[in-house]
Amino acid sequence: MTTTGANRRRISILLGGLLVAIAPGCAEMPHWTPFHGPSSDRVDGVVAPYERVAELRALAAGAGKHGPEEKEKIAKQLAQSIGKEQDPLIRAEIIGALASFPGPTADAILRTGLSDADPQVRIAACEYWGKRNSEQSVDLLSQSLHGDIDVDVRLAAAKALGETRNQAAIDSLAEALEDSDPAIQYRAAIALEQVTGKSFDRNVHRWRQYVKGEVPAPQPSIAEQLRRLF
């Protein structure tokens, strides 16, 4: 027998012995492999966030089938839930659901929502108040527009003020036209269009003239704008 043949035979014997040695242990190994993963990620007694979101949206979608007393009862249940909720995304969903159950309880929670620690919740609260054409909604949204530290919340408040269609929002939006952030200025101009029914091509300068009682300068023609560029 050649040296190469002898080496191959030794390797075969060693591999055979190794398989015999580990065979009993293999019989006791679990069938789970890391390539397949566990059969389910559910935990008894724990509702996954996506399930909670689906529940809240279904609840809001079915609000129309409830009478006033039942709506207020559901709003109170949601109010208790948001007070215990740690996840800001779920709190924002609860705010959205409460919009379908207007009343004293919903109003109280939505006022608190405007000062929530998370901006996403404050944005959701702004969207709710934008659906209410009332002086209260204008006052609350104006406070968020000029007082919130998050620009996205301020933009949401300006947008919501326009959606109220309430003339009382004009003064607050006029003030926003002078904001240092161009995005706030532009959003205020869009909101003023919604509130007044007028259109100045969303031109901030022309809106500034209008809210001061001046006659807005005519919009330059496309040809005039091109001449100014060149």
Side-chain angles (χ1 to χ4, degrees):
M1 181 182 297
T2 65
T3 302
T4 301
N7 288 338
R8 288 177 179 174
R9 181 173 177 78
R10 291 192 192 97
I11 292 173
S12 297
I13 293 172
L14 288 172
L15 288 175
L18 179 61
L19 289 173
V20 171
I22 66 174
C26 290
E28 298 175 2
M29 291 177 65
H31 294 293
W32 177 87
T33 67
F35 302 103
H36 295 89
S39 59
S40 174
D41 60 356
R42 297 181 62 88
V43 178
D44 291 341
V46 177
V47 179
Y50 71 89
E51 293 178 312
R52 182 67 172 132
V53 168
E55 290 174 357
L56 289 166
R57 293 182 179 178
L59 183 66
K65 65 183 180 181
H66 301 293
E69 292 185 2
E70 185 65 19
K71 284 184 176 180
E72 182 63 13
K73 180 180 178 181
I74 293 173
K76 288 180 179 178
Q77 293 173 344
L78 289 171
Q80 293 177 347
S81 177
I82 199 171
K84 303 174 183 177
E85 182 58 58
Q86 299 297 316
D87 188 336
L89 295 179
I90 299 299
R91 292 203 303 275
E93 288 289 339
I94 295 174
I95 292 291
L98 277 167
S100 299
F101 300 91
T105 300
D107 284 0
I109 296 302
L110 271 296
R111 282 195 298 272
T112 303
L114 290 170
S115 58
D116 191 276
D118 191 274
Q120 290 300 318
V121 180
R122 302 201 297 276
I123 289 172
C126 286
E127 292 172 353
Y128 169 85
W129 287 111
K131 299 174 183 178
R132 304 284 299 279
N133 184 346
S134 66
E135 290 189 8
Q136 180 188 31
S137 61
V138 171
D139 288 342
L140 291 171
L141 289 169
S142 295
Q143 291 174 29
S144 293
L145 172 58
H146 300 294
D148 203 283
I149 61 174
D150 189 284
V151 67
D152 289 330
V153 177
R154 298 182 65 214
L155 288 168
K159 180 175 183 291
L161 278 169
E163 292 171 349
T164 66
R165 302 295 200 282
N166 195 309
Q167 295 286 310
I170 293 176
D171 288 344
S172 180
L173 292 170
E175 183 180 346
L177 290 173
E178 306 295 338
D179 194 88
S180 60
D181 189 329
I184 297 293
Q185 298 172 15
Y186 185 70
R187 175 50 69 181
I190 296 174
L192 281 165
E193 286 186 1
Q194 295 175 287
V195 172
T196 65
K198 298 183 180 296
S199 176
F200 298 116
D201 301 305
R202 300 182 177 179
N203 185 296
V204 172
H205 176 68
R206 299 180 75 201
W207 272 111
R208 285 172 178 165
Q209 292 176 310
Y210 175 82
V211 297
K212 292 176 182 177
E214 302 172 3
V215 178
Q219 179 75 3
S221 65
I222 295 178
E224 178 62 26
Q225 294 180 51
L226 288 174
R227 280 196 296 271
R228 292 179 182 178
L229 288 174
F230 300 102

